[in-house]
């Protein structure tokens, strides 16, 4: 599960997690406009990204959020495939955790990776995607924090 396109560093990190073992990905992308505007702004402020907090109201919502999500998904799938990994995906607008559970069941997935930016409010109350997925999917869930190319990879299990 992702909420923004993967950076080159993110792609490198997720494709090398299992060494030389062949990996395949089914990527679920939730449009940013489907996420709570207030919580996104609070997270931006907590991270010191004040300019981003001010611009949160400019994020497209509803149907207008679909096109940016589709582009972000296409970029991510192309980047994963460029490493030699198999990758498919879809935008999950409604009930992304239910769709995630269906995909885990359909594919026999070994694990779920949730790659996200920090969401302090949701994480504090264990309402973030990874915490909620751990109670729903029946396989291990690895939470990774996305990062800029110059940032070192960060994980939270």
């Amino acid at each position: 599960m992702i909420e923004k396109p993967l950076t080159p560093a993110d792609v490198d990190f997720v494709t090398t997690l299992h060494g030389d073992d062949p990996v395949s990905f089914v990527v679920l992308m939730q449009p940013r406009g489907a996420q709570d505007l207030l919580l996104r702004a609070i997270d931006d402020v907590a991270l010191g990204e004040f300019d981003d907090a001010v611009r949160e109201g400019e994020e497209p919502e509803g149907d207008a959020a679909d096109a940016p999500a589709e582009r972000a998904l296409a970029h991510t799938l192309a980047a994963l495939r460029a490493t030699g990994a198999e990758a498919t995906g879809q935008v999950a607008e409604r009930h992304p955790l239910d769709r995630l559970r269906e995909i885990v069941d359909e594919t026999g997935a070994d694990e779920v990776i949730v790659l996200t930016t920090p969401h302090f409010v949701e994480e504090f109350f264990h309402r973030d995607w990874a915490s909620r997925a751990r109670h729903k999917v029946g396989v291990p869930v690895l939470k990774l924090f996305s990062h800029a190319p110059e940032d070192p990879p960060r994980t939270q299990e």
Side-chain angles (χ1 to χ4, degrees):
M1 291 189 82
I2 62 172
E3 60 188 2
K4 65 180 192 173
L6 299 186
T7 66
D10 293 331
V11 170
D12 183 56
F13 194 41
V14 299
T15 57
T16 60
L17 280 172
H18 297 288
D20 293 333
D21 293 340
V23 293
S24 62
F25 297 92
V26 178
V27 180
L28 288 185
M29 170 84 183
Q30 185 182 33
R32 253 181 89 70
Q35 301 164 6
D36 187 277
L37 173 66
L38 177 61
L39 292 178
R40 289 192 330 247
I42 290 170
D43 288 336
D44 290 337
V45 169
L47 290 168
E49 297 170 354
F50 302 111
D51 290 340
D52 290 342
V54 171
R55 287 192 299 271
E56 285 295 349
E58 299 169 8
E59 285 285 335
E61 295 192 25
D63 291 340
D66 292 347
E70 291 287 349
R71 284 191 301 273
L73 177 62
H75 168 82
T76 295
L77 294 176
L80 290 168
R81 290 175 186 145
T83 70
E86 293 181 32
T88 62
Q90 61 188 257
V91 173
E93 297 174 46
R94 294 180 184 20
H95 311 292
L97 292 173
D98 291 339
R99 184 64 189 126
L100 179 63
R101 174 59 193 237
E102 292 169 1
I103 289 171
V104 166
D105 291 344
E106 291 167 5
T107 63
D110 295 323
E111 71 181 347
V112 168
I113 298 172
V114 176
L115 195 135
T116 182
T117 56
H119 295 289
F120 297 111
V121 175
E122 292 101 324
E123 290 171 18
F124 181 78
F125 291 106
H126 301 282
R127 299 301 302 156
D128 59 297
W129 285 2
S131 295
R132 291 169 46 206
R134 285 183 182 111
H135 299 285
K136 193 155 193 111
V137 297
V139 297
V141 175
L142 176 62
K143 179 178 186 176
L144 302 176
F145 290 112
S146 60
H147 52 283
E150 66 275 0
D151 292 342
R154 299 176 291 168
T155 66
Q156 177 186 356
E157 291 188 44

mmCIF file of all heavy atoms in Angstrom, residues 59-86:
data_model
loop_
_atom_site.group_PDB
_atom_site.id
_atom_site.type_symbol
_atom_site.label_atom_id
_atom_site.label_comp_id
_atom_site.label_asym_id
_atom_site.label_seq_id
_atom_site.Cartn_x
_atom_site.Cartn_y
_atom_site.Cartn_z
ATOM 1 N N GLU A 59 -5.276 20.059 -2.455
ATOM 2 C CA GLU A 59 -5.227 18.683 -2.962
ATOM 3 C C GLU A 59 -6.569 18.345 -3.608
ATOM 4 O O GLU A 59 -7.629 18.630 -3.054
ATOM 5 C CB GLU A 59 -4.980 17.690 -1.823
ATOM 6 C CG GLU A 59 -3.574 17.664 -1.319
ATOM 7 C CD GLU A 59 -2.625 16.953 -2.272
ATOM 8 O OE1 GLU A 59 -3.057 16.095 -3.064
ATOM 9 O OE2 GLU A 59 -1.434 17.266 -2.205
ATOM 10 N N PRO A 60 -6.548 17.720 -4.777
ATOM 11 C CA PRO A 60 -7.819 17.325 -5.402
ATOM 12 C C PRO A 60 -8.519 16.270 -4.558
ATOM 13 O O PRO A 60 -7.868 15.441 -3.918
ATOM 14 C CB PRO A 60 -7.388 16.772 -6.759
ATOM 15 C CG PRO A 60 -5.941 16.486 -6.644
ATOM 16 C CD PRO A 60 -5.395 17.348 -5.551
ATOM 17 N N GLU A 61 -9.830 16.329 -4.570
ATOM 18 C CA GLU A 61 -10.625 15.358 -3.811
ATOM 19 C C GLU A 61 -11.650 14.716 -4.726
ATOM 20 O O GLU A 61 -11.917 15.196 -5.823
ATOM 21 C CB GLU A 61 -11.306 16.047 -2.629
ATOM 22 C CG GLU A 61 -10.294 16.576 -1.617
ATOM 23 C CD GLU A 61 -10.942 16.996 -0.311
ATOM 24 O OE1 GLU A 61 -12.028 16.477 0.012
ATOM 25 O OE2 GLU A 61 -10.353 17.826 0.375
ATOM 26 N N GLY A 62 -12.229 13.631 -4.253
ATOM 27 C CA GLY A 62 -13.249 12.939 -5.034
ATOM 28 C C GLY A 62 -12.695 12.448 -6.352
ATOM 29 O O GLY A 62 -11.564 11.967 -6.438
ATOM 30 N N ASP A 63 -13.485 12.601 -7.416
ATOM 31 C CA ASP A 63 -13.073 12.129 -8.739
ATOM 32 C C ASP A 63 -11.824 12.847 -9.239
ATOM 33 O O ASP A 63 -11.044 12.283 -10.008
ATOM 34 C CB ASP A 63 -14.210 12.322 -9.745
ATOM 35 C CG ASP A 63 -15.381 11.392 -9.465
ATOM 36 O OD1 ASP A 63 -15.190 10.372 -8.769
ATOM 37 O OD2 ASP A 63 -16.504 11.697 -9.933
ATOM 38 N N ALA A 64 -11.621 14.094 -8.807
ATOM 39 C CA ALA A 64 -10.449 14.862 -9.255
ATOM 40 C C ALA A 64 -9.145 14.263 -8.722
ATOM 41 O O ALA A 64 -8.076 14.532 -9.265
ATOM 42 C CB ALA A 64 -10.569 16.320 -8.810
ATOM 43 N N ALA A 65 -9.217 13.458 -7.676
ATOM 44 C CA ALA A 65 -8.008 12.841 -7.110
ATOM 45 C C ALA A 65 -7.609 11.579 -7.861
ATOM 46 O O ALA A 65 -6.485 11.095 -7.701
ATOM 47 C CB ALA A 65 -8.242 12.509 -5.633
ATOM 48 N N ASP A 66 -8.495 11.064 -8.705
ATOM 49 C CA ASP A 66 -8.203 9.809 -9.400
ATOM 50 C C ASP A 66 -7.052 9.918 -10.388
ATOM 51 O O ASP A 66 -6.173 9.060 -10.419
ATOM 52 C CB ASP A 66 -9.455 9.296 -10.119
ATOM 53 C CG ASP A 66 -10.526 8.851 -9.154
ATOM 54 O OD1 ASP A 66 -10.234 8.706 -7.953
ATOM 55 O OD2 ASP A 66 -11.670 8.652 -9.606
ATOM 56 N N ALA A 67 -7.040 10.964 -11.208
ATOM 57 C CA ALA A 67 -6.001 11.090 -12.240
ATOM 58 C C ALA A 67 -4.601 11.199 -11.627
ATOM 59 O O ALA A 67 -3.691 10.482 -12.066
ATOM 60 C CB ALA A 67 -6.295 12.267 -13.165
ATOM 61 N N PRO A 68 -4.391 12.052 -10.603
ATOM 62 C CA PRO A 68 -3.058 12.075 -9.989
ATOM 63 C C PRO A 68 -2.665 10.728 -9.370
ATOM 64 O O PRO A 68 -1.504 10.317 -9.439
ATOM 65 C CB PRO A 68 -3.158 13.158 -8.911
ATOM 66 C CG PRO A 68 -4.290 14.021 -9.337
ATOM 67 C CD PRO A 68 -5.240 13.109 -10.062
ATOM 68 N N ALA A 69 -3.629 10.030 -8.791
ATOM 69 C CA ALA A 69 -3.342 8.718 -8.203
ATOM 70 C C ALA A 69 -2.969 7.710 -9.282
ATOM 71 O O ALA A 69 -2.045 6.907 -9.106
ATOM 72 C CB ALA A 69 -4.527 8.223 -7.394
ATOM 73 N N GLU A 70 -3.664 7.738 -10.401
ATOM 74 C CA GLU A 70 -3.348 6.829 -11.507
ATOM 75 C C GLU A 70 -1.945 7.099 -12.053
ATOM 76 O O GLU A 70 -1.203 6.171 -12.347
ATOM 77 C CB GLU A 70 -4.386 6.968 -12.637
ATOM 78 C CG GLU A 70 -5.757 6.443 -12.288
ATOM 79 C CD GLU A 70 -5.847 4.926 -12.246
ATOM 80 O OE1 GLU A 70 -4.901 4.236 -12.681
ATOM 81 O OE2 GLU A 70 -6.878 4.419 -11.768
ATOM 82 N N ARG A 71 -1.579 8.388 -12.175
ATOM 83 C CA ARG A 71 -0.230 8.730 -12.652
ATOM 84 C C ARG A 71 0.829 8.261 -11.657
ATOM 85 O O ARG A 71 1.871 7.720 -12.039
ATOM 86 C CB ARG A 71 -0.110 10.235 -12.888
ATOM 87 C CG ARG A 71 -0.793 10.708 -14.157
ATOM 88 C CD ARG A 71 -0.438 12.139 -14.503
ATOM 89 N NE ARG A 71 -0.783 13.097 -13.474
ATOM 90 C CZ ARG A 71 -1.970 13.691 -13.357
ATOM 91 N NH1 ARG A 71 -2.943 13.412 -14.214
ATOM 92 N NH2 ARG A 71 -2.189 14.567 -12.400
ATOM 93 N N ALA A 72 0.574 8.468 -10.367
ATOM 94 C CA ALA A 72 1.528 8.041 -9.333
ATOM 95 C C ALA A 72 1.686 6.522 -9.345
ATOM 96 O O ALA A 72 2.804 6.001 -9.221
ATOM 97 C CB ALA A 72 1.065 8.526 -7.962
ATOM 98 N N LEU A 73 0.591 5.821 -9.529
ATOM 99 C CA LEU A 73 0.638 4.361 -9.591
ATOM 100 C C LEU A 73 1.422 3.905 -10.821
ATOM 101 O O LEU A 73 2.287 3.020 -10.715
ATOM 102 C CB LEU A 73 -0.774 3.785 -9.609
ATOM 103 C CG LEU A 73 -0.864 2.263 -9.741
ATOM 104 C CD1 LEU A 73 -0.202 1.567 -8.563
ATOM 105 C CD2 LEU A 73 -2.324 1.841 -9.877
ATOM 106 N N ALA A 74 1.160 4.499 -11.968
ATOM 107 C CA ALA A 74 1.874 4.120 -13.195
ATOM 108 C C ALA A 74 3.379 4.354 -13.051
ATOM 109 O O ALA A 74 4.193 3.512 -13.463
ATOM 110 C CB ALA A 74 1.318 4.899 -14.387
ATOM 111 N N HIS A 75 3.755 5.478 -12.447
ATOM 112 C CA HIS A 75 5.171 5.780 -12.213
ATOM 113 C C HIS A 75 5.800 4.709 -11.317
ATOM 114 O O HIS A 75 6.893 4.209 -11.590
ATOM 115 C CB HIS A 75 5.297 7.164 -11.563
ATOM 116 C CG HIS A 75 6.658 7.450 -11.032
ATOM 117 N ND1 HIS A 75 7.687 7.901 -11.829
ATOM 118 C CD2 HIS A 75 7.181 7.310 -9.783
ATOM 119 C CE1 HIS A 75 8.773 8.040 -11.087
ATOM 120 N NE2 HIS A 75 8.492 7.693 -9.843
ATOM 121 N N THR A 76 5.109 4.363 -10.252
ATOM 122 C CA THR A 76 5.617 3.371 -9.300
ATOM 123 C C THR A 76 5.763 2.004 -9.954
ATOM 124 O O THR A 76 6.790 1.326 -9.784
ATOM 125 C CB THR A 76 4.700 3.302 -8.069
ATOM 126 O OG1 THR A 76 4.775 4.552 -7.384
ATOM 127 C CG2 THR A 76 5.080 2.165 -7.138
ATOM 128 N N LEU A 77 4.745 1.578 -10.704
ATOM 129 C CA LEU A 77 4.818 0.264 -11.359
ATOM 130 C C LEU A 77 5.965 0.212 -12.360
ATOM 131 O O LEU A 77 6.689 -0.787 -12.424
ATOM 132 C CB LEU A 77 3.483 -0.056 -12.034
ATOM 133 C CG LEU A 77 2.294 -0.249 -11.097
ATOM 134 C CD1 LEU A 77 1.015 -0.474 -11.893
ATOM 135 C CD2 LEU A 77 2.532 -1.383 -10.115
ATOM 136 N N ALA A 78 6.151 1.287 -13.124
ATOM 137 C CA ALA A 78 7.256 1.327 -14.085
ATOM 138 C C ALA A 78 8.606 1.239 -13.372
ATOM 139 O O ALA A 78 9.515 0.534 -13.824
ATOM 140 C CB ALA A 78 7.175 2.597 -14.931
ATOM 141 N N ALA A 79 8.728 1.929 -12.258
ATOM 142 C CA ALA A 79 9.990 1.909 -11.504
ATOM 143 C C ALA A 79 10.268 0.522 -10.931
ATOM 144 O O ALA A 79 11.411 0.045 -10.957
ATOM 145 C CB ALA A 79 9.952 2.958 -10.395
ATOM 146 N N LEU A 80 9.250 -0.139 -10.418
ATOM 147 C CA LEU A 80 9.434 -1.491 -9.890
ATOM 148 C C LEU A 80 9.802 -2.468 -11.001
ATOM 149 O O LEU A 80 10.705 -3.297 -10.843
ATOM 150 C CB LEU A 80 8.167 -1.956 -9.166
ATOM 151 C CG LEU A 80 7.853 -1.266 -7.843
ATOM 152 C CD1 LEU A 80 6.440 -1.605 -7.379
ATOM 153 C CD2 LEU A 80 8.875 -1.636 -6.777
ATOM 154 N N ARG A 81 9.114 -2.367 -12.132
ATOM 155 C CA ARG A 81 9.395 -3.267 -13.257
ATOM 156 C C ARG A 81 10.790 -3.049 -13.821
ATOM 157 O O ARG A 81 11.421 -3.998 -14.306
ATOM 158 C CB ARG A 81 8.342 -3.066 -14.343
ATOM 159 C CG ARG A 81 6.968 -3.578 -13.936
ATOM 160 C CD ARG A 81 5.938 -3.244 -14.983
ATOM 161 N NE ARG A 81 4.608 -3.615 -14.536
ATOM 162 C CZ ARG A 81 3.507 -2.930 -14.831
ATOM 163 N NH1 ARG A 81 3.582 -1.853 -15.615
ATOM 164 N NH2 ARG A 81 2.345 -3.318 -14.377
ATOM 165 N N ALA A 82 11.271 -1.823 -13.765
ATOM 166 C CA ALA A 82 12.615 -1.516 -14.271
ATOM 167 C C ALA A 82 13.701 -2.265 -13.502
ATOM 168 O O ALA A 82 14.794 -2.472 -14.017
ATOM 169 C CB ALA A 82 12.870 -0.009 -14.232
ATOM 170 N N THR A 83 13.386 -2.700 -12.284
ATOM 171 C CA THR A 83 14.355 -3.471 -11.499
ATOM 172 C C THR A 83 14.287 -4.955 -11.822
ATOM 173 O O THR A 83 15.070 -5.741 -11.290
ATOM 174 C CB THR A 83 14.102 -3.300 -9.983
ATOM 175 O OG1 THR A 83 12.880 -3.959 -9.632
ATOM 176 C CG2 THR A 83 14.080 -1.842 -9.585
ATOM 177 N N GLY A 84 13.322 -5.352 -12.639
ATOM 178 C CA GLY A 84 13.134 -6.760 -12.967
ATOM 179 C C GLY A 84 12.045 -7.427 -12.146
ATOM 180 O O GLY A 84 11.741 -8.603 -12.357
ATOM 181 N N ALA A 85 11.443 -6.697 -11.223
ATOM 182 C CA ALA A 85 10.366 -7.264 -10.403
ATOM 183 C C ALA A 85 9.058 -7.267 -11.186
ATOM 184 O O ALA A 85 8.835 -6.412 -12.046
ATOM 185 C CB ALA A 85 10.188 -6.445 -9.125
ATOM 186 N N GLU A 86 8.222 -8.232 -10.893
ATOM 187 C CA GLU A 86 6.864 -8.218 -11.433
ATOM 188 C C GLU A 86 6.060 -7.231 -10.600
ATOM 189 O O GLU A 86 6.187 -7.204 -9.372
ATOM 190 C CB GLU A 86 6.230 -9.596 -11.329
ATOM 191 C CG GLU A 86 6.861 -10.645 -12.210
ATOM 192 C CD GLU A 86 6.144 -11.983 -12.070
ATOM 193 O OE1 GLU A 86 4.915 -11.991 -11.825
ATOM 194 O OE2 GLU A 86 6.833 -13.000 -12.186
#
